[in-house]
Amino acid sequence: MVTTLRLLPDLEATIGRLPGVQAARVVTDGAAAPTEIHVLSDRGKSPKALVRDIQSVAMAQFDLELDHRIVSIVQFDDDETPQAETQGTSTVRVLVAGVTANTAGLHASATVTLACNGQLYDGTATAPATPSSRIRLIGRATLAAAMQLFPLAAADLEHAQVSHVGGREVAICVIQLLTADGESMLTGSALVRGDQADAVVRAVLDGLNRRLRL
């Protein structure tokens, strides 16, 4: 199974101090080499310019040559970060910061990173590597990340798939949610906009939004 670690806290902290950056997450392999960098920032700089800044600071301070393809930038407008209140119920703005899925031998794993209120939340899931496991793994990893935002709730992914509806691909999920108010069955969906993994994450968030106001 592919192992992801966080062994470069100094690099994370340095990236986090760049102008406009609200949060940063550096994922490494077993040899402490960066494999993913997720950054949450405002729109003060273009993503390309911010990636160049990250590459420059990594080289100058840590002697690390970063491939721009491992850097994921999620940007937000100023009015997207505060928590709002809607009819007495807390509403939070959740952004998808990164999605990865890996297969190694007989094992598959997925990691989903969500951004909310300037923080990054990782969710992971593992399972035997089967042709049908990828979609479900991504859905379970999304739930694992989202439940960190709602520690008083628990959830399980009952079903997830990508289907063709009206000539378009649509990600569909069914979620079992348990809160202090009892058990609920939720459904969510999202159009595939070029990437099935992203659509699965958005489908899970759509389902949770019907109950938790994401």
Side-chain angles (χ1 to χ4, degrees), residues 157-171:
L157 185 71
E158 187 167 287
H159 182 74
Q161 70 180 63
V162 175
S163 301
H164 284 85
V165 180
R168 298 180 182 273
E169 281 192 313
V170 180

Side-chain angles (χ1 to χ4, degrees), residues 73-192:
I73 306 292
V74 174
Q75 294 187 306
F76 56 86
D77 295 319
D78 290 340
D79 60 354
E80 289 181 322
T81 50
Q83 181 165 313
E85 296 292 327
T86 302
Q87 296 180 348
T89 302
S90 176
T91 301
V92 296
R93 172 71 170 177
V94 179
L95 305 175
V96 183
V99 183
T100 60
N102 299 295
T103 300
L106 300 177
H107 298 279
S109 65
T111 300
V112 172
T113 302
L114 302 178
C116 180
N117 291 336
Q119 299 292 324
L120 296 177
Y121 301 86
D122 292 329
T124 60
T126 60
T130 63
S132 60
S133 66
R134 183 172 182 268
I135 297 299
R136 183 172 175 82
L137 271 177
I138 293 170
R140 287 174 52 205
T142 304
L143 277 181
M147 287 303 97
Q148 295 178 53
L149 296 166
F150 302 95
L152 299 182
D156 184 40
L157 185 71
E158 187 167 287
H159 182 74
Q161 70 180 63
V162 175
S163 301
H164 284 85
V165 180
R168 298 180 182 273
E169 281 192 313
V170 180
I172 303 168
C173 71
V174 180
I175 301 165
Q176 183 181 36
L177 181 70
L178 182 64
T179 68
D181 297 329
E183 180 181 330
S184 302
M185 298 302 296
L186 310 174
T187 61
S189 63
L191 282 173
V192 176

